[in-house]
Amino acid sequence: MNVHSSSAELTRIGPLGLRARIASLTLAEAGTISTFATVGLLAVRPTSDPDKFWHLATGRWIWENGRIPKTDPFSWTTPGRNWVAHEWLTEAVWFRIYQLAGWMGLAILSAVVIMTALLLTYRSLRSLGASALTSNALILTGALASLVTWGVRPQMLSFLLVALVCRLTIQAWHTSVHNAPGAAVHRKRLWLLVPVMLLWANAHGAYLFGIALLGAFAVGLTLDHLLTRSTSYRNFRKLSTSHGDTQLIRTSWAVTTACIAVTLINPHGVAGLMYPFSYLGDNASTRYVAEWFAPNFGEARFWPFAVVLGLSAFALVRLRRVIPLFAIIQIIALAGLGLQSARNITPFVAVALPWIGLSLRRNKEARTITKPKSAGAIHTGLAVTVVAVFAALGAPSIQSSAVDANDAKHFPRAATTWIGSNPRPRMLNQYDWGGYFILNLPEVPVSVDGRPDMYGDPFMDRYVSIWSVHNGWERRLDEDGYERVVGAPRAPIVRELRSRPGWRVVYEDAQAVVLDRL
């Protein structure tokens, strides 16, 4: 299979005027505009992610105190406990945007980040020769597959940066293996990843994906280069060695090493570098946090992921003679991580789609199609109509009032107001309400929130045993000195304490119940 870019791709000399641009817009380009309008609509949909609140509260704390927290400032159960605030840069930026533009500003920012990530993936698809139709279909499939993790979340930045790593490495490999004139330029562009990694290491812990992808790139290129000394391997894989390949190998190792080094430039030093490894294996996050659970393919929302997995397997088989080893390593490794945890589906999508597009490419003779003179205007009108309709559909959902209304359905707004007027120490709160209390009741310390890595496995195991009324829960509740319990009416501990002597309901509505110890 020829992996050169399609000869049918249009080359334009100089910028086109607006009228000429409209007249030349193809149906495929109109389809691409419509595709990304769809992505934008999906990206701005309201979510009920409970972590966004404590992220904002952390950003507020950073600006108020002029430093980055290194110990827990929010709970009464673990005050002063060491905390690696690995997302501090994102949180600080978020809070300023929130101050200026509210939830709408954060929703737009998140949507732009997601759309840019998929745009980079789209460009990787096209550069490997996938048609516009195939690329658009794969982008929509990938969007639906990764939708389970979308929202106003720091990890959306990691989605973007994984896509950037893939884009730059694919460009460098593709131009090098074909001795293209721009090979040296694309090879040098890999050095852009060093400052990117510095930013990434201070913005989100998934920078480890970037290091791993670069490491796989260097290892794969090196193995391919060494193995091509074998005639049988070279004939089977249809690969060749060249001076350009050797230079790219050296650059890939140098860039990977530099990227690892700059990750040490963070407020926590080596602890910050090692932090992502704390999620490996069995821990509180993988046991109790839903996004760390393995995908359940009995749920329709994971079916697009199953489609991408199937297409990836097809790509690995069909491209077995031409696909570079680094891509094989990346796809298999991230597919395994995606099957292990739903939150890893997003980086898998960014890595796998370009190679799926290459596997679906068909080599056809370019055909000249005569279009009516009005075709460009019709295509432009179609694209503008789709964008306008989707903008009208999406705009109401990103208004701060709409976000607040959506949050009011999932979080105890009225109870929060009451607790603020009737505070009591040593409160045991529902896990996914902790962040909401931290942002909206900063004067009332919480017992737990969406930072299980900070609280630690022993604490989280004990908390779950109390909240879920496992054997010995009442003794642990007394030993830990909880004076107030706040949870949903159907929460196991709320139902139990209603009938227990020594406790009484002091506040109740459809969403929340507050019980105090007598």
Side-chain angles (χ1 to χ4, degrees), residues 294-368:
N296 178 5
F297 292 106
E299 299 178 25
R301 62 188 181 130
F302 290 115
W303 293 351
F305 173 46
V307 172
V308 178
L309 282 172
L311 289 174
S312 297
F314 170 79
L316 290 175
V317 173
R318 189 170 190 216
L319 300 176
R320 62 189 179 278
R321 289 181 175 270
V322 296
I323 190 170
L325 284 180
F326 76 82
I328 297 174
I329 296 169
Q330 292 172 346
I331 291 172
I332 292 176
L334 282 171
L337 290 174
L339 288 168
Q340 184 181 42
S341 169
R343 66 177 284 135
N344 294 327
I345 292 174
T346 304
F348 167 68
V349 165
V351 167
L353 288 189
W355 304 104
I356 293 173
L358 178 60
S359 72
L360 297 176
R361 179 186 166 198
R362 295 177 180 274
N363 293 319
K364 293 182 178 180
E365 294 294 328
R367 294 181 298 170
T368 301

Side-chain angles (χ1 to χ4, degrees), residues 68-347:
I68 298 159
K70 294 187 177 180
T71 57
D72 175 27
F74 299 131
S75 78
W76 67 266
T77 49
T78 58
R81 185 182 179 89
N82 289 336
W83 176 33
V84 178
H86 64 285
E87 298 157 320
W88 71 270
L89 184 57
T90 302
E91 291 157 345
V93 172
W94 268 22
F95 184 68
R96 283 302 191 215
I97 294 174
Y98 179 71
Q99 285 183 311
L100 293 172
W103 289 117
M104 182 173 68
L106 291 175
I108 292 174
L109 174 64
S110 180
V112 168
V113 168
I114 292 169
M115 292 173 70
T116 305
L118 288 173
L119 180 61
L120 287 171
T121 305
Y122 176 86
R123 293 306 306 153
S124 294
L125 279 157
R126 297 291 280 142
S127 69
L128 289 179
S131 69
L133 178 61
T134 298
S135 299
N136 290 331
L138 288 175
I139 288 296
L140 287 175
T141 303
L144 293 174
S146 58
L147 188 62
V148 293
T149 64
W150 288 10
V152 179
R153 318 183 67 192
Q155 74 186 71
M156 294 300 94
L157 179 63
S158 288
F159 183 23
L160 169 60
L161 297 181
V162 165
L164 177 62
V165 171
C166 292
R167 174 68 175 146
L168 292 179
T169 52
I170 287 173
Q171 280 184 312
W173 166 79
H174 192 254
T175 54
S176 174
V177 78
H178 296 297
N179 295 313
V185 173
H186 290 302
R187 184 173 64 247
K188 291 178 181 178
R189 284 181 182 172
L190 291 175
W191 286 103
L192 294 173
L193 293 174
V194 177
V196 166
M197 195 61 64
L198 175 61
L199 170 75
W200 198 350
N202 288 277
H204 190 249
Y207 72 85
L208 189 62
F209 280 116
I211 297 293
L213 291 174
L214 283 171
F217 184 62
V219 169
L221 289 177
T222 302
L223 289 175
D224 262 335
H225 180 72
L226 294 175
L227 290 171
T228 48
R229 295 176 180 177
S230 165
T231 303
S232 59
Y233 180 84
R234 190 163 56 246
N235 291 338
F236 172 75
R237 295 274 291 150
K238 294 185 178 179
L239 296 172
S240 63
T241 58
S242 69
H243 179 63
D245 290 335
T246 305
Q247 288 181 313
L248 181 58
I249 290 169
R250 287 198 295 263
T251 300
S252 66
W253 281 108
V255 170
T256 301
T257 302
C259 284
I260 294 172
V262 297
T263 59
L264 287 169
I265 307 175
N266 71 81
H268 309 282
V270 175
L273 176 63
M274 300 304 295
Y275 169 80
F277 293 97
S278 66
Y279 288 100
L280 299 178
D282 180 37
N283 54 68
S285 295
T286 58
R287 286 198 294 272
Y288 304 126
V289 181
E291 67 174 345
W292 284 97
F293 297 168
N296 178 5
F297 292 106
E299 299 178 25
R301 62 188 181 130
F302 290 115
W303 293 351
F305 173 46
V307 172
V308 178
L309 282 172
L311 289 174
S312 297
F314 170 79
L316 290 175
V317 173
R318 189 170 190 216
L319 300 176
R320 62 189 179 278
R321 289 181 175 270
V322 296
I323 190 170
L325 284 180
F326 76 82
I328 297 174
I329 296 169
Q330 292 172 346
I331 291 172
I332 292 176
L334 282 171
L337 290 174
L339 288 168
Q340 184 181 42
S341 169
R343 66 177 284 135
N344 294 327
I345 292 174
T346 304

